[in-house]
Amino acid sequence: MDSRAAVKTAITPCGEAALRVEVDGADGTEVWTTVHRLAERLNRGEITGALSAVPTYDAVLVEFDPCRCTAEELTAAILSQDLAAAPDGPSCSRVLDVPVLFGGEAGPDLAWVAEIVGEPVHRVVEMVCEREYLIRCLGGPAASAMTDGPDFRVPVPRLATPRLRVPPRAGSVAAPQAVLGPVAAPSGWRQIGRTPLTVLRTDHEQVVPYRAGDRIRYTAIDEPTYAALVGTPMRYREDHVG
């Protein structure tokens, strides 16, 4: 399928040295793939003047050097890209196995979510753990892993009043999405569990051990296992790269 025929691209200025590239189309997977394929090319330096690209679900923020190119020149270069020419991104999807303590203090909204979606609590946990979740983008704060949510029958509403502090390493859901947050932060998402693994790594150049295009697989653990794993670094599954 030709991405240029399947999706539409709109480019608008974002300040004096950045562009917002928004991709629209009927196929959400094709839109996401196009966005991240473009971001990979920009971050590899394939388009003159582009300094960095930050992809989301359907858009890319592109920072550029105005001494090397104008916004008009960069816009023309981006629009000239054939993003269907080769399956070059996002590449090398890897899996992270993430143990989670569900419910209780670790997941104060689990029972509420179960009631909303019309399933018993144990079935909600099973649904969360029964498949892998593609990391669609890294969000705030501190590169939170934004993914699609579990296959609930109805979207999960957000809190009417956001909590002022959700603890680090919390797993939460809202609407058809889910998020794993590395740091403590305010949030209106419904917290259903927490991982004992260390996510944020301030002593590394890559501050979180994942990137967009990787996948997360959750497993349910009990409190003794949680306590035993506290502080263990989050890592890729060693036996799966591809």
Side-chain angles (χ1 to χ4, degrees), residues 53-240:
V54 181
T56 62
Y57 278 73
D58 60 359
V60 187
L61 179 66
V62 185
E63 295 181 309
F64 65 92
D65 183 351
C67 295
R68 298 182 62 197
C69 70
T70 65
E72 292 76 15
E73 289 170 339
L74 182 57
T75 296
I78 291 172
L79 291 175
S80 71
Q81 293 290 302
D82 181 359
L83 298 176
D88 59 352
S91 59
C92 194
S93 177
R94 293 181 284 184
V95 181
L96 301 107
D97 290 305
V98 180
V100 174
L101 177 63
F102 289 95
E105 292 184 5
D109 297 319
L110 177 62
W112 186 92
V113 169
E115 182 177 355
I116 287 295
V117 303
E119 299 283 357
V121 168
H122 73 87
R123 177 57 186 147
V124 170
V125 173
E126 290 174 351
M127 294 174 74
V128 172
C129 297
E130 65 189 7
R131 69 181 181 88
E132 296 173 356
Y133 297 91
L134 183 69
I135 299 177
R136 296 288 185 175
C137 66
L138 306 186
S144 298
M146 309 287 295
T147 73
D148 297 333
D151 296 323
F152 297 145
R153 288 178 288 183
V154 295
V156 177
R158 297 185 182 219
L159 289 161
T161 302
R163 292 187 175 95
L164 295 180
R165 184 183 187 277
V166 171
R169 312 184 310 279
S172 305
V173 294
Q177 294 176 282
V179 63
L180 178 63
V183 298
S187 176
W189 291 49
R190 302 286 181 168
Q191 182 186 345
I192 61 173
R194 191 179 182 197
T195 181
L197 303 184
T198 297
V199 183
L200 189 70
R201 307 182 301 181
T202 56
D203 57 337
H204 286 67
E205 181 178 352
Q206 185 177 346
V207 296
V208 290
Y210 48 73
R211 63 183 184 182
D214 290 335
R215 289 164 286 156
I216 292 176
R217 183 67 179 260
Y218 295 110
T219 56
I221 58 174
D222 56 19
E223 292 186 4
T225 304
Y226 181 96
L229 290 174
V230 168
T232 302
M234 182 181 290
R235 296 187 178 94
Y236 287 117
R237 183 187 299 173
E238 293 183 358
D239 63 352
H240 189 112

